[in-house]
Amino acid sequence: MIKKLFAKYFELCFLVAALIALAITDPAAKTHFSLCPLKMAGIGWCPGCGLGHSISWLFRGNISNSFQAHWLGIPALIVIAWRIITLAKSNIVPAKFN
């Protein structure tokens, strides 16, 4: 039962939680918790971190900083939002019965 629920809702919950985390994280902060192996190794720039900062700037309405952080931030947010909508429609909205 739990395994079935986990398989059905994990991706949806993960994507929503990730966007919430990016929405509440301050992209201008110099230090914050990170699981980035490049940042832990002391490398200053990481494409994944730049993408996260870009999406976080988008949530604040700052498109120019978003584009400077990573130019794929806008398309990435569109793709993630589309995936969330698709998963929500298929998993949450009940199927029509014949």
Side-chain angles (χ1 to χ4, degrees):
M1 173 73 175
I2 292 176
K3 190 175 184 181
K4 193 175 193 180
L5 283 173
F6 182 79
K8 186 174 182 181
Y9 296 110
F10 176 75
E11 184 181 3
L12 178 62
C13 292
F14 179 82
L15 290 175
V16 170
L19 286 184
I20 289 171
L22 288 173
I24 63 174
T25 303
D26 182 14
K30 294 296 178 194
T31 59
H32 65 278
F33 176 73
S34 176
L35 295 173
C36 177
L38 295 178
K39 191 171 279 192
M40 287 181 196
I43 299 171
W45 185 83
C46 168
C49 293
L51 192 58
H53 284 128
S54 178
I55 293 172
S56 190
W57 281 117
L58 279 174
F59 280 125
R60 285 161 178 71
N62 196 328
I63 296 173
S64 64
N65 279 352
S66 171
F67 194 76
Q68 288 176 358
H70 200 294
W71 62 277
L72 284 175
I74 296 169
L77 183 59
I78 292 168
V79 168
I80 292 169
W82 179 257
R83 183 68 181 152
I84 289 172
I85 291 167
T86 304
L87 288 170
K89 282 183 179 178
S90 66
N91 290 337
I92 296 175
V93 178
K96 292 184 178 183
F97 294 101
N98 293 333

